[in-house]
Amino acid sequence: MELQKLHASEDDAFVGFAESRQGGRAENQDSYGFMQTARGFLLTVCDGMGGGPGGKTASTIAVQEILAGVTEAADDEEIPNILIKAVRRANMAVLNQGSETPALKGMGSTATVLLLNERAAYVAHVGDSRIYQFRSGRKVFRTFDHSMVFELVKQKVITEEQARLSAQSNVITRALGIQPDMEVDVAELPYEKGDRFMLCSDGIHGTMPEPELIKMVTNRKQALGAVVDNIATTVDNMGRNHGGGHDNLTIAVIEAKKNSILKQSMSNKTKIMLSVLAAIAIVSVVLNVVQLSSKNDNGALKKEITELKSEKDSLSQLAIRHRDTINIYNKVLNENKSVKEAIEKEFSGMKDHNNKK
């Protein structure tokens, strides 16, 4: 299927492109679909599995049922629940078709779903097809594959790159058409102007290290349509250069032209960091105030000593006038015995002088 522009919204809040290719297989078992709904722009990419016509049938059914499930949802239903029900509806449709048609028995499909509106981006997925969110050249969100190798990644037994290169990378643990009771992963994501969302089958993300793919999809030197087509062509050529027989490949990329209403919440790590910085700032201010206060007190103290020497004959008046100041000085003087002794000696001399008078 050639590069297709996705009419993501009437107000041009989102713009996107998609492309799906057969690769080196006998048929393309990937499917994708999109439409504008009352709740926002809806996009889904599904990767079919099963011998003969099974894989293509499964992914086609999945796309149709997901689109229908969202558009037919009750007006008062929350979007995350709508997406979950739509994917489960697709799951039951694939299961039912497989049980009714012997040639299709055992067919299945992955599912990735993205719904974009002015409030937020909503994603749902099952299987090892992925949804990414990119910002300023880096990944800020990615779904986690429901696969055997990614369970090992979760347990830190292997790295993601080792999982990608594993011969067992295509063994998935969750998919449409396997069993009636199926868990769907969902998320609500804020986005910013310029953010890009990518939905892709493993025929795309399984062909190169993730940093290389991120670099390609976040390229700002090319128009978005050219970026999508370049990725599909690069992956297709890589497969051909390695002898052909490579997997179907499907990619869809949507770019936001505005900020979402939903704003990014701070992570716990960020909150802790800001708290530490705030504490450091407070301590610094307190220390500066204490230091400044100490300097001012010492200067005033010297001044008082000078005044005491020159005004021995008016000790009583001076003591009354500076009573509060002397109380403050005493706190400082307790930390400096030599100064304290000198002042006490001076007071003693003044007292003797008065007595003689």
Side-chain angles (χ1 to χ4, degrees):
M1 188 180 296
E2 295 182 354
L3 180 71
Q4 184 175 13
K5 183 175 182 179
L6 307 178
H7 300 285
S9 62
E10 296 178 357
D11 60 355
D12 294 326
F14 312 102
V15 61
F17 293 85
E19 189 164 351
S20 184
R21 297 190 184 185
Q22 185 172 329
R25 302 294 173 83
E27 69 171 345
N28 188 356
Q29 296 188 338
D30 290 355
S31 298
Y32 73 87
F34 60 94
M35 66 186 304
Q36 185 66 39
T37 74
R39 294 174 176 81
F41 176 73
L42 178 64
L43 172 66
T44 179
V45 170
C46 300
D47 180 0
M49 304 170 292
K56 185 61 178 179
T57 302
S59 67
T60 300
I61 292 174
V63 168
Q64 293 172 347
E65 294 298 325
I66 288 169
L67 296 179
V70 174
T71 56
E72 296 173 13
D75 293 338
D76 60 349
E77 196 158 12
E78 296 291 331
I79 291 178
N81 289 335
I82 291 174
L83 297 187
I84 291 173
K85 289 183 177 181
V87 175
R88 287 178 175 170
R89 169 175 169 162
N91 178 53
M92 292 307 301
V94 172
L95 274 171
N96 292 337
Q97 188 65 45
S99 63
E100 293 172 3
T101 308
L104 300 177
K105 187 174 183 179
M107 69 178 180
S109 178
T110 67
T112 56
V113 187
L114 170 68
L115 192 149
L116 286 165
N117 59 32
E118 63 179 4
R119 170 175 166 71
Y122 301 86
V123 301
H125 93 288
V126 171
D128 64 350
S129 296
R130 294 181 179 177
I131 302 175
Y132 285 85
Q133 181 182 5
F134 304 103
R135 179 178 303 149
S136 302
R138 60 188 180 86
K139 174 181 69 178
V140 294
F141 172 83
R142 191 203 67 200
T143 53
F144 196 87
D145 296 356
H146 301 135
S147 67
M148 186 178 72
V149 292
F150 257 64
E151 287 301 317
L152 297 177
V153 171
K154 185 185 294 185
Q155 298 169 20
K156 298 183 179 180
V157 176
I158 61 175
T159 65
E160 290 193 12
E161 182 62 10
Q162 289 172 329
R164 184 184 72 84
L165 297 173
S166 171
Q168 306 299 317
S169 62
N170 62 342
V171 179
I172 62 177
T173 57
R174 201 185 305 177
L176 308 183
I178 305 302
Q179 56 186 11
D181 186 17
M182 181 195 64
E183 184 180 356
V184 182
D185 288 355
V186 294
E188 180 185 51
L189 307 169
Y191 59 82
E192 296 180 3
K193 180 180 179 181
D195 281 9
R196 289 180 177 178
F197 293 88
M198 179 176 73
L199 284 68
C200 63
S201 61
D202 65 332
I204 293 288
H205 68 73
T207 58
M208 67 182 77
E210 189 174 73
E212 294 182 19
L213 180 59
I214 293 174
K215 184 177 181 179
M216 294 181 71
V217 76
T218 59
N219 181 9
R220 297 285 174 175
K221 296 180 180 179
Q222 292 181 312
L224 185 59
V227 168
V228 173
D229 187 62
N230 181 50
I231 293 173
T233 299
T234 299
V235 171
D236 209 7
N237 288 339
M238 288 173 63
R240 298 184 193 283
N241 292 337
H242 286 83
H246 52 293
D247 199 0
N248 312 140
L249 50 120
T250 301
I251 177 174
V253 180
I254 301 288
E255 182 174 314
K257 297 301 182 181
K258 300 178 180 179
N259 294 339
S260 64
I261 294 175
L262 181 66
K263 301 306 177 185
Q264 188 77 44
S265 60
M266 287 190 296
S267 65
N268 289 333
K269 183 177 180 180
T270 301
K271 290 178 181 178
I272 292 173
M273 184 179 298
L274 290 177
S275 297
V276 171
L277 290 175
I280 292 174
I282 292 171
V283 171
S284 177
V285 170
V286 171
L287 289 176
N288 287 335
V289 170
V290 171
Q291 184 177 13
L292 181 61
S293 176
S294 177
K295 289 181 178 179
N296 291 339
D297 286 347
N298 288 336
L301 181 62
K302 292 179 180 179
K303 182 179 179 181
E304 288 300 321
I305 294 174
T306 302
E307 290 180 358
L308 287 172
K309 287 181 178 179
S310 64
E311 298 179 6
K312 294 180 181 180
D313 57 340
S314 57
L315 176 61
S316 297
Q317 294 181 5
L318 198 63
I320 294 173
R321 181 162 58 91
H322 295 287
R323 181 181 56 194
D324 294 336
T325 304
I326 292 172
N327 288 335
I328 296 174
Y329 293 160
N330 285 336
K331 295 180 181 179
V332 178
L333 295 178
N334 285 333
E335 298 177 1
N336 194 327
K337 292 183 179 180
S338 60
V339 176
K340 182 179 179 181
E341 291 174 355
I343 291 177
E344 288 178 344
K345 182 178 181 180
E346 189 67 33
F347 271 101
S348 178
M350 291 163 59
K351 183 177 179 181
D352 293 339
H353 177 74
N354 287 339
N355 290 335
K356 291 178 180 180
K357 284 186 174 183

